[in-house]
Amino acid sequence: MRRKTSRRDVIKGSAALVFGSVFASPVRAQSPDPVAITPALIEAAKSEGKVILYSSMDLPVGEKLGKAFEAAYPGISVQIERSGSERLFQRVDQEFSSNIRAADIINTSDASHIITWKRNGWLARFVSEDMARHFLPEYRDPDGMAATSRIYLSSIAYNTKLVKPEDAPKSYADLLDPKWAGKMVKGHPAYSGTIMTATFQLVRELGWDYLDKLSKQRVMQVQSSTDPPKKLSLGERAVMADGNEYGIVLLKEAGQPVEPIYPTEGTPTISGPTAIFASAPHPNGARLFQAWLHTRETQQFFVDYTAQYSVHAQVQSRPGRHKLSDIKLMKEDAAGVEKMAEEIKTRYARLFKV
């Protein structure tokens, strides 16, 4: 008799497919004991009065989260420093090289950054009760240095006023059709961790030869993965070659003429982990924010508001939206991205002349 498949089984299966081992480093220490949100932690955070968050999330999303945290814990303000993940990575490196310790906590859309920061000894060990109970090990650093706060996709898409459904591309191979020359927009891997991660997966699956051919299609180049959906909805380009899928979903739900496409080759998958810096100037505020961010309530709010995906086992997808299990996904490999990051930046710039 077949055992009934549970929600946790589905999540676990998706984790194996999408991530393999996101936090690709051997366990060197026992994971710390889970920390609860207690009155003592809240009071300690209030005595510090502030949390400084470096974030790759869209600024409206980060601000919405910050306001929700401030409402939950009056007396603690959230200062958000937002930029593309690759720029944040450079900033953190420059600050640590100059002995500047400004950030308390960071969310990146390039999971390979966690590997580097952990190796450098820059991260603090912290596991909340929700992480320990409701996040599978695939989504947590084994030493408690980070946890996956969000998952999302880098899809392709089209403007429904400019392209008929039957004419829309169905695959990455379709984007090489001459009819799309001068009609596409895409993000840049030197700025966006999303595009860095997606580019790595495309190179692994399709080869540099594919990107070489795509570069000859006179593609509009923008920076952030949040930019292509906006250009598409404005009708500045007919097709999005990459960019965040959740931006397309939200625009479509708002009545904009856009439609996501999940390529037949698979859709690149991106995880957004969050970590606390060991040198955090507001360590208790950082611990409280990290614990709060990964509660069921905050994760559900985040999913509903942003159309991204959560790996918290108790969070439900909003009706009418795709589930990860509905989509053919490319596998994420943070260690692979770390090894290839500089090559990707160099070769991409040469190919696309940007």
Side-chain angles (χ1 to χ4, degrees), residues 45 55-56 106 110-111 115 117 129 134 143 147 159 164 200 221 225 233 236 238-239 244 286 323 333 351:
S55 173
S56 63
I106 191 164
D110 184 341
I115 299 173
W117 294 331
E129 285 190 337
H134 304 299
D143 299 331
N159 182 298
K164 296 178 181 178
F200 168 82
Q221 183 70 66
S225 70
S233 68
E236 294 185 27
V239 172
N244 59 58
K323 299 181 173 122
D333 177 7
L351 287 174

Side-chain angles (χ1 to χ4, degrees), residues 39 44 73 77 80 99 105 117 119 125 133-134 167 175 179 191 209 212 218 225 249 267 269 273 286 321 330 337 345:
Y73 303 105
S77 65
I80 300 171
N99 202 31
I105 190 167
W117 294 331
R119 186 169 55 238
R125 299 171 69 225
R133 292 177 180 175
H134 304 299
D167 296 331
L175 299 183
K179 72 179 181 180
Y191 178 88
D209 182 59
D212 182 25
R218 304 196 313 276
S225 70
V249 172
T267 303
T269 310
R321 289 179 179 170
M330 289 187 182
V337 174
K345 292 176 186 178

Side-chain angles (χ1 to χ4, degrees), residues 41-245:
L41 176 58
I42 295 171
E43 287 306 310
K46 285 185 176 181
S47 70
E48 295 169 351
K50 190 175 188 178
V51 177
I52 300 175
L53 169 67
Y54 282 15
S55 173
S56 63
M57 300 178 195
D58 308 29
L59 187 56
V61 172
E63 289 179 338
K64 188 86 169 180
L65 277 174
K67 294 299 182 186
F69 179 80
E70 290 172 351
Y73 303 105
I76 310 173
S77 65
V78 180
Q79 177 182 327
I80 300 171
E81 300 290 334
R82 196 274 163 190
S83 189
S85 285
E86 304 312 316
R87 296 290 174 84
L88 282 177
F89 185 74
Q90 295 170 3
R91 176 174 177 174
V92 168
D93 185 65
Q94 291 167 356
E95 288 182 350
F96 271 77
S97 297
S98 302
N99 202 31
I100 296 171
R101 304 292 186 267
D104 293 309
I105 190 167
I106 191 164
N107 174 270
T108 178
S109 56
D110 184 341
S112 74
H113 296 165
I114 300 297
I115 299 173
T116 302
W117 294 331
K118 178 180 177 179
R119 186 169 55 238
N120 292 348
W122 294 352
L123 302 181
R125 299 171 69 225
F126 178 83
V127 175
S128 70
E129 285 190 337
D130 271 83
M131 293 176 196
R133 292 177 180 175
H134 304 299
F135 284 62
L136 292 168
E138 291 89 342
Y139 300 112
R140 292 185 280 119
D141 174 75
D143 299 331
M145 301 291 188
T148 300
S149 309
R150 57 189 179 125
I151 292 177
Y152 57 102
L153 308 178
S154 178
S155 67
I156 57 181
Y158 68 97
N159 182 298
T160 57
K161 287 186 177 180
L162 300 177
V163 181
K164 296 178 181 178
E166 60 269 25
D167 296 331
K170 303 298 188 295
S171 66
Y172 285 109
D174 288 347
L175 299 183
L176 303 181
D177 190 311
K179 72 179 181 180
W180 302 123
K183 297 180 180 180
M184 289 186 285
V185 60
K186 73 182 304 299
H188 200 299
Y191 178 88
S192 167
T194 300
I195 306 304
M196 169 63 75
T197 303
T199 302
F200 168 82
Q201 293 175 39
L202 288 177
V203 169
R204 182 191 61 206
E205 301 298 326
L206 306 178
W208 279 108
D209 182 59
Y210 171 77
L211 285 178
D212 182 25
K213 293 175 181 176
L214 185 66
S215 71
K216 295 177 171 59
Q217 289 283 69
R218 304 196 313 276
V219 181
M220 174 191 279
Q221 183 70 66
V222 293
Q223 288 189 323
S224 174
S225 70
T226 65
D227 293 333
K230 297 170 186 175
K231 296 292 184 183
L232 200 68
S233 68
L234 292 171
E236 294 185 27
R237 286 296 184 273
V239 172
M240 183 177 93
D242 64 22
N244 59 58
E245 174 243 14

